[in-house]
Amino acid sequence: MTADPGWDPARLAALAGDEAEAAHRLALLSAMGLGVAFDPAGGLKLLRRAADLGHDLARDSLAVVETLGPLEAWLTPRPAGLASERPHVLIAEGFVAPVVCDWLRTRAGSRLEPAKVHDPRTGAGLLNPVRTNDAAVFDLPDADMVQVLLRERIGRLVGLPVAGMEPVQVLRYRVGQAFDWHVVYLDPASPGHRHNLARPGQR
């Protein structure tokens, strides 16, 4: 997830007239450790505050978060099991509860649109017949606590830092849709990839 100026903790005071929105934003920042100390428990307290103040997304996401029980249940995924030695494949059985999948589908809802690929010349999104599925992208201003804790759960399962992850995407593949043969690394020789290489870094 990429931050925008409205998510700078130093500027949250600008939302003083909307305490619920400010509490929700700070809840997510705390749970991610983005610009503030990493404090998921404190983030949940702020989320409850935002919900109590009438923030709809805070209230609804809190209900989903609490279905898994205590915070530690989110932060301690079961180890992945070995599915195959060669090729080396692991499988994470029951990685998330069905209610979490339902939440992601619902949030994606009307946000789904034809998925794009990166234009190697400009770096902008580009429609390409190689990819025919739909996607809903959630940058930081559109994020919720379920997505934030899910990213943390993924990071802990695979042993990689959440800071290196790209924004949350919900992908929909209807029958016959596909993302045909492609590579996911960023080519340093492509002008459109240089910005991502300089900031988030190589995939």
Side-chain angles (χ1 to χ4, degrees), residues 86-100:
R86 296 176 64 90
H88 189 69
V89 178
L90 302 176
I91 187 167
E93 296 279 359
F95 181 69
V96 294
V99 67
V100 176

Side-chain angles (χ1 to χ4, degrees), residues 12-44:
L12 285 175
L15 293 169
D18 189 347
E19 187 180 348
E21 180 63 22
H24 183 251
R25 289 190 181 204
L26 190 54
L28 302 189
L29 293 173
S30 298
M32 288 187 285
L34 183 58
V36 296
F38 177 68
D39 183 9
L44 282 184

Side-chain angles (χ1 to χ4, degrees), residues 8-69:
D8 184 337
R11 297 187 61 192
L12 285 175
L15 293 169
D18 189 347
E19 187 180 348
E21 180 63 22
H24 183 251
R25 289 190 181 204
L26 190 54
L28 302 189
L29 293 173
S30 298
M32 288 187 285
L34 183 58
V36 296
F38 177 68
D39 183 9
L44 282 184
K45 288 180 182 177
L46 285 163
L47 189 69
R48 290 188 184 95
R49 173 68 178 156
D52 290 343
L53 289 168
H55 196 282
D56 292 341
L57 183 56
R59 181 197 63 232
D60 295 345
S61 61
L62 180 62
V64 175
V65 168
E66 290 179 337
T67 61
L68 285 190

Side-chain angles (χ1 to χ4, degrees), residues 1 150-152 154-156 158 160-167:
M1 293 181 191
L150 185 55
R151 285 161 56 89
E152 185 65 30
I154 292 169
R156 293 187 181 214
V158 300
L160 293 171
V162 173
M165 293 184 184
E166 295 182 356

Side-chain angles (χ1 to χ4, degrees), residues 118-124 186-197:
H118 286 287
D119 185 332
R121 293 167 298 167
T122 67
L186 301 173
D187 184 357
S190 297
H193 292 169
R194 290 178 189 151
H195 174 75
N196 281 337
L197 284 168

Side-chain angles (χ1 to χ4, degrees), residues 29-177:
L29 293 173
S30 298
M32 288 187 285
L34 183 58
V36 296
F38 177 68
D39 183 9
L44 282 184
K45 288 180 182 177
L46 285 163
L47 189 69
R48 290 188 184 95
R49 173 68 178 156
D52 290 343
L53 289 168
H55 196 282
D56 292 341
L57 183 56
R59 181 197 63 232
D60 295 345
S61 61
L62 180 62
V64 175
V65 168
E66 290 179 337
T67 61
L68 285 190
L71 177 62
E72 200 56 34
W74 279 93
L75 303 182
T76 315
R78 289 182 296 179
L82 182 66
S84 169
E85 284 279 5
R86 296 176 64 90
H88 189 69
V89 178
L90 302 176
I91 187 167
E93 296 279 359
F95 181 69
V96 294
V99 67
V100 176
C101 298
D102 291 342
W103 172 261
L104 294 172
R105 277 194 296 266
T106 299
R107 286 235 51 217
S110 61
R111 301 175 65 92
L112 286 163
E113 58 184 28
K116 298 177 180 178
V117 300
H118 286 287
D119 185 332
R121 293 167 298 167
T122 67
L126 177 71
L127 292 174
N128 188 305
V130 73
R131 188 175 191 186
T132 57
N133 67 293
D134 299 310
V137 181
F138 292 87
D139 282 316
L140 189 52
D142 305 310
D144 61 65
M145 188 62 80
V146 176
Q147 295 171 354
V148 167
L149 292 179
L150 185 55
R151 285 161 56 89
E152 185 65 30
R153 188 172 175 83
I154 292 169
R156 293 187 181 214
L157 177 71
V158 300
L160 293 171
V162 173
M165 293 184 184
E166 295 182 356
V168 171
Q169 289 192 53
V170 176
L171 306 180
R172 179 179 67 189
Y173 287 86
R174 296 188 186 277
V175 174
Q177 290 184 327

